[in-house]
Amino acid sequence: MEKRTEGAWLINHTKKLLDVSETNEFEDIELAGKCGMFLSNLAASDEQSDLNSEKVSAIAKVSNIKKTELETIKNVLNQAELIDLGKNGSISVLGITTSAVLSHTTDIFNNTKPNNIQKAAIELSENISDLPKDEKIVSEYISDLYKLSSTETSELLIHSEDIGFVDYEKLDDNSKLYFNGNLFRREVLKKVKAVLGSLIKEDQEKILQIDELLTKNGCITIDKAKQILGDVLLSKLQSIGMYD
């Protein structure tokens, strides 16, 4: 996963955690995410910017950072050499651009030495954004990749559902389908599952090839997509809203 993508998920998850009272399982995600949110609001330009304590406090409030958290976050950013701490609560932002904030957020997360459960929480959301996936497939993938026990995997999925890291839907056969609600609509999930269930290994490999091109280039021509996927497979995937 690219650093910018991971940073975006860290901030997304942190915003979800703001509505949850107990977040101890994901404290490294929350710390990195709040550092990223704070840094993003600080980074008004790519030039060094000096901010007095009143401005810093105002930005912290907008960033949903409590007074009890502010000093910790400032120290983390200072240790990462992203800000300098001045007198009386002032700070200097060291030439940070808003476009670089997501990568810095990822670096901060990795420097906290997060456990595998927190890493898996980020990977889980990214994985189901590529394609909606059955609970069994997701469980096996996450547990194998991060060496989680069945209990740890089950608890991660429950927490992810409750907090909103993932969207899910129970289907008629009592199975669960995990998906990104910003990309896939609930009302077409049965069709999504039917289409995805019909894909053979060769189809899945073609989809991965398209996803790599989209990640690298942002977009590709319809002719290129047809060349890789073929007309029939492309039509199937467009019918479930996978590609625009």
Side-chain angles (χ1 to χ4, degrees):
M1 191 188 315
E2 292 186 351
K3 287 172 67 174
R4 285 171 55 84
T5 301
E6 186 173 358
W9 281 121
L10 287 164
I11 290 176
N12 174 79
H13 282 22
T14 298
K15 291 178 179 178
K16 300 288 187 181
L17 289 167
L18 293 175
D19 297 324
V20 181
S21 57
E22 297 294 333
T23 61
N24 293 339
E25 300 93 338
F26 305 106
E27 59 184 0
D28 295 320
I29 289 177
E30 187 174 18
L31 174 60
K34 285 193 172 182
C35 284
M37 291 161 64
F38 186 53
L39 189 61
S40 178
N41 287 323
L42 290 174
S45 71
D46 59 359
E47 301 295 333
Q48 179 169 325
S49 179
D50 297 320
L51 304 169
N52 61 34
S53 60
E54 288 186 7
K55 184 68 172 179
V56 170
S57 296
I59 292 174
K61 187 174 182 179
V62 170
S63 306
N64 289 295
I65 295 170
K66 301 174 183 176
K67 289 182 179 180
T68 54
E69 301 171 325
L70 183 55
E71 289 305 313
T72 296
I73 289 171
K74 286 164 60 177
N75 286 331
V76 169
L77 294 175
N78 178 241
Q79 290 169 11
E81 299 182 348
L82 299 172
I83 66 171
D84 272 343
L85 302 178
K87 296 180 179 179
N88 302 318
S90 66
I91 64 173
S92 295
V93 185
L94 303 180
I96 303 302
T97 62
T98 52
S99 62
V101 167
L102 295 178
S103 294
H104 291 309
T105 302
T106 298
D107 289 336
I108 290 168
F109 178 61
N110 291 330
N111 288 338
T112 64
K113 301 295 189 293
N115 59 31
N116 280 354
I117 291 177
Q118 294 186 93
K119 293 178 183 177
I122 300 298
E123 178 63 33
L124 171 62
S125 296
E126 173 66 8
N127 184 258
I128 63 167
S129 288
D130 294 334
L131 283 173
K133 292 184 176 67
D134 186 82
E135 180 182 16
K136 182 179 179 181
I137 294 174
V138 169
S139 296
E140 290 177 353
Y141 172 75
I142 291 296
S143 61
D144 289 347
L145 184 62
Y146 290 100
K147 311 301 180 186
L148 302 181
S149 68
S150 58
T151 299
E152 289 174 326
T153 303
S154 177
E155 289 180 350
L156 172 61
L157 292 178
I158 291 171
H159 287 315
S160 296
E161 293 172 13
D162 291 343
I163 295 169
F165 290 164
V166 297
D167 296 296
Y168 72 98
E169 187 78 8
K170 287 186 177 180
L171 303 178
D172 291 344
D173 57 1
N174 292 321
S175 64
K176 283 182 183 177
L177 198 64
Y178 289 103
F179 66 101
N180 184 330
N182 294 318
L183 301 176
F184 294 92
R185 303 188 303 276
R186 288 182 183 274
E187 59 266 26
V188 300
L189 284 181
K190 289 183 180 180
K191 185 176 181 180
V192 169
K193 186 175 183 182
V195 169
L196 297 180
S198 71
L199 300 181
I200 61 176
K201 184 177 180 181
E202 183 181 352
D203 292 335
Q204 294 171 349
E205 290 173 350
K206 291 177 180 178
I207 292 171
L208 288 176
Q209 186 178 348
I210 289 287
D211 287 345
E212 288 176 1
L213 287 173
L214 289 173
T215 298
K216 180 180 179 181
N217 301 314
C219 64
I220 59 174
T221 65
I222 189 71
D223 289 338
K224 183 65 175 180
K226 287 181 178 180
Q227 178 186 341
I228 296 172
L229 297 172
D231 289 338
V232 175
L233 179 55
L234 178 59
S235 179
K236 282 185 178 181
L237 297 175
Q238 286 181 308
S239 74
I240 60 175
M242 187 167 172
Y243 299 125
D244 292 322

